[in-house]
Each structure stands twice: as C-alpha cells, then as structure tokens.
C-alpha cells in the first residue's frame, strides 16, 4: 500500500529534517490549512449554505464584496488570532492591518492573504482560491505597524494557495520546493499528492485577458501578436490560450503543465502599476513559481525584489515558464532603451 503523507506529517518531517520550519511556523501553516478547509466546505455548500451573492459592501480597493469574501476573511482571522504564532495579519478585504488582540499572546510572524481570489467566479461555480504569504517581524519594537509588512517577497518564509475547484488542493512552499496536498473529505485532512514540482522552461500556452489588448503598451502587444501569428509567425509554433479569471486557477494550471500568466499595466489607469496586489497575490505566487523553476517579473524586474511601500500596492505580473517570462521581460527592456 502506498504511504499516505498528511500535511501534518509533511510539516513535522520538514521541521525534523533541517529545522527549516520552526514549531511556530509549522503551527501557523496547519492553522491556515484548517481555515482553508472550512472555507472549502462553505464554498462547497454554495446556495444551500446561503453563502452566495453580494454582501452589499465594498473593500478598500472599491471592489464589491461577495458574502464569501467576508466569510473567508473572518474564517482566516478567527482561526489565526489566538494561537500565539502571529503578530498581525493583512488582507485584501481590510484597509489596515489586523493586530492580534491583547488578550492573546503575540508571536513573531506576519500573515497576509487574499481570502477569496477570483470572486467573480463564485456565483458561476468555477474555481476560486485563497492565497497567503508569511513574513517574520524583524523589528523588535513593541507593537506592529504597516512598515513591518513592507518587506520584499524574497523575505517570505512560507507562501501558498488553496484552490477550491473540482478538488480542494493546497500548494505550499517554505523555500524547499513546491508541494501539493489534496483534501480528503472523508478523512478531513490534506494528503500529499506531489512534491518537487517543476515547470517546463518552454510552453505553448499563455493566459491573459485579451479583451484589454488595445490598452496595453507596445512590448506586450508585440509578444501576444507573435504568439497569435502561430506557425507562420516569428515564433514558428502555434499557441493555445486559457483564462480562468482567478489567478489561483491560472497559476495552478501553470504549476501542473507549464504556461505563462500575464496581467500587465494598461493605459486606462496609467498611475496604477497593474491590477494585482504585490504583497498577498504576486509575491506568494512568484515564490511558488520560482521554486518550481519558473520566473516572475513585473515586465522589467524580478517581482520578489520590489520594495513595497503600501499594503495594497499593485504590480504588473508576468510569471510561469522561464523562457517565455524572459522573452516578455526582454521586449519591455528593449523598448525602454
Ligand atoms: P477578484 O478576486 O477581485 O475577482 O479578482 C481576481 C483577479 O484579481 C485575479 O485573480 C484574476 O487573474 C484577475 O483578477 C481577473 O481579472 P479580469 O477581470 O480582468 O479577468
């Protein structure tokens, strides 16, 4: 019989093997996984659980909040605030940081999340997910401030996402490769299905919202035009396109079979660097992709080297199979010259 390795066992073994995961970080990751399990059950009930539809409110970015956005946010906070492993949390759904209340012990980690990514997919029964990133609070000063979170992605100590699709799958890195765990609903635990995931360096598949093409800058248009030209064009091969409108699902596909995902800057809101959020969307996904042998840039520089200055900072994103990411980045840098 094949050995079934639970997430708990995987984390304990990681902790024992090289001390990569201190006990408090292990606890944190188990608690995040437990919260994702609860979100998965809520997502799964759908209309029967009265969790569908709009909550009638907007988040700090002016986006309409769905009931599940709020449920997922509260689930992550409630699960994480009392364990003593965290100093504070930040979320797409909250304007400021959430400092662990005084009645609980304070730990040394900072947790950031997009509690429910791809919320436009909720009401149509399509894949959605939770994305998370973990940092360590470096400064020993009392209290927690926004500035404690302003660390580049290369400082993350753990990152991952949970996709709520036909299966619920948690994907994780602590800097030692990427591992995937699928939720066994009867047993109630996440079971390891694959580790040391690797993305092919070349691909024939891209993911981008093509309806925005007229708003992109020239290097982005050039890259996509060349892909669309197929065998007869400069690339000499035919490309396929996929777009799920949930970054979690698009990144999951890329980790499973390669590809390139792009959400570029566009002219409609020139002052915004992009649509996606640096600290709790782009950074964790970039680390997973890099750990799997892929690359991730903002079309010019490595995303994980960007110094954040705002909690809800936005960024242009191109990530996935290495050679394609390098090509898109090169086209932009050449045009800059
Ligand atoms: P929401 O979570 O607010 O629905 O946004 C999802 C997302 O940020 C990202 O997950 C998708 O890749 C992208 O937006 C989809 O954007 P389009 O609306 O342009 O398809």
């Amino acid at each position: 019989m094949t050995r079934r390795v639970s997430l708990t066992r995987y984390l304990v073994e990681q902790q024992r093997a090289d001390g990569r995961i201190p006990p408090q970080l292990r606890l944190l990751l188990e608690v995040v996984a437990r919260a994702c399990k609860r979100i998965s059950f809520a997502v799964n009930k759908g209309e029967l659980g009265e969790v569908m539809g709009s909550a009638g409110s907007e988040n700090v970015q002016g986006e309409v909040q769905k009931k599940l956005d709020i449920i997922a946010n509260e689930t992550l906070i409630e699960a994480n605030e009392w364990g003593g492993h965290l100093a504070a949390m930040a979320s797409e759904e909250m304007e400021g940081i959430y400092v662990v209340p005084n009645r609980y012990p304070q730990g040394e980690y900072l947790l950031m999340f997009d509690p429910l990514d791809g919320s436009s997919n909720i009401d149509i029964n399509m894949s959605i997910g939770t994305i998370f990133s973990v940092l360590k609070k470096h400064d020993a000063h009392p209290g927690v401030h926004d500035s404690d979170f302003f660390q580049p992605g290369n400082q993350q100590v753990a990152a991952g996402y949970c996709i709520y699709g036909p299966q619920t799958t948690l994907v994780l890195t602590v800097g030692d490769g990427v591992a995937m765990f699928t939720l066994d609903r009867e047993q109630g635990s996440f079971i390891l299905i694959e580790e040391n995931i690797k993305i092919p360096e070349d691909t024939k598949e891209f993911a981008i919202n093509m309806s925005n093409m007229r708003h992109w800058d020239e290097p982005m248009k050039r890259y996509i035009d060349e892909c669309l030209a197929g065998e007869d064009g400069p690339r000499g091969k035919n490309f396929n396109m996929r777009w799920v409108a949930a970054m979690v699902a698009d990144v999951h596909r890329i980790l499973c079979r390669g590809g390139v995902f792009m959400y570029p800057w566009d002219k409609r809101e020139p002052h915004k660097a992009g649509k996606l959020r640096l600290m709790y969307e782009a950074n964790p996904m970039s680390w997973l992709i890099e750990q799997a042998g892929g690359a991730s840039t903002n079309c010019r520089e490595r995303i994980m080297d960007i110094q954040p200055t705002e909690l809800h900072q936005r960024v242009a994103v191109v990530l996935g199979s290495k050679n394609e990411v390098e090509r898109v980045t090169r086209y932009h840098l050449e045009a800059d010259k």
Side-chain angles (χ1 to χ4, degrees), residues 22 29 60 102 104 117 164 174 181 247 309 322:
L29 294 172
V60 58
N102 284 338
Y104 302 122
D117 173 65
Y164 314 114
V174 289
F181 306 83
M247 188 193 200
T309 52
K322 204 169 182 195

Side-chain angles (χ1 to χ4, degrees), residues 198-205 223 235 237 239 254 257-260 289-290 292-295 319-327:
K198 289 289 166 221
I199 303 172
E201 289 190 350
D202 291 301
T203 182
K204 291 181 175 176
E205 197 159 71
Y223 175 76
R235 302 298 308 274
K237 59 181 182 180
F239 280 78
I254 291 172
R257 68 177 188 211
V260 58
I289 291 288
E290 285 195 11
L319 57 76
S321 289
K322 204 169 182 195
N323 291 339
E324 295 303 310
V325 175
E326 283 175 4
R327 180 180 285 268

Side-chain angles (χ1 to χ4, degrees), residues 24-225:
Q24 290 293 298
L25 180 55
R26 177 166 67 81
L27 174 65
L28 188 164
L29 294 172
E30 288 205 49
V31 173
V32 169
R34 209 175 305 142
C36 290
K37 208 189 313 176
R38 279 174 42 200
I39 297 169
S40 169
F41 285 122
V43 167
N44 215 240
K45 281 205 170 135
E47 207 63 71
L48 306 180
E50 297 178 9
V51 297
M52 306 292 270
S54 165
S57 51
E58 284 186 355
N59 67 12
V60 58
Q61 359 253 341
E63 298 159 344
V64 174
Q65 289 178 306
K66 299 280 175 74
K67 282 186 197 160
L68 264 174
D69 286 321
I70 293 176
I71 292 169
N73 195 55
E74 284 172 358
T75 302
L76 280 153
I77 289 176
E78 281 167 23
N80 277 288
E81 67 179 349
W82 53 270
H85 49 282
L86 280 184
M89 295 177 248
S91 158
E92 181 183 350
E93 302 303 334
M94 301 186 295
E95 184 161 5
I97 62 172
Y98 180 90
V99 179
V100 167
N102 284 338
R103 60 184 182 278
Y104 302 122
Q106 243 191 38
E108 57 182 350
Y109 290 103
L110 305 168
L111 174 65
M112 279 173 291
F113 44 84
D114 176 355
L116 213 83
D117 173 65
S119 24
S120 66
N121 281 355
I122 294 173
D123 295 333
I124 55 167
N125 201 359
M126 296 268 284
S127 292
I128 48 182
T130 297
I131 311 174
F132 61 92
S133 164
V134 186
L135 295 167
K136 216 168 167 178
K137 180 174 177 284
H138 287 304
D139 198 335
H141 64 70
V144 195
H145 307 280
D146 285 13
S147 55
D148 289 307
F149 284 83
F150 297 162
Q151 302 178 37
N154 58 36
Q155 296 295 304
Q156 292 172 104
V157 294
Y161 64 80
C162 188
I163 179 167
Y164 314 114
Q167 298 112 42
T168 289
T169 297
L170 184 89
V171 180
L172 178 70
T173 186
V174 289
D176 185 29
V178 178
M180 281 186 189
F181 306 83
T182 289
L183 180 62
D184 180 332
R185 285 181 184 270
E186 280 90 58
Q187 213 177 62
S189 49
F190 282 99
I191 305 294
L192 182 68
I193 53 162
E194 213 179 329
E195 54 188 329
N196 296 322
I197 287 155
K198 289 289 166 221
I199 303 172
E201 289 190 350
D202 291 301
T203 182
K204 291 181 175 176
E205 197 159 71
F206 66 86
I208 195 163
N209 185 342
M210 285 290 295
S211 66
N212 296 331
M213 189 164 188
R214 68 191 183 285
H215 306 297
W216 302 335
D217 58 15
E218 287 312 314
M220 200 65 240
K221 281 188 193 154
R222 173 186 170 194
Y223 175 76
I224 293 298
D225 276 339

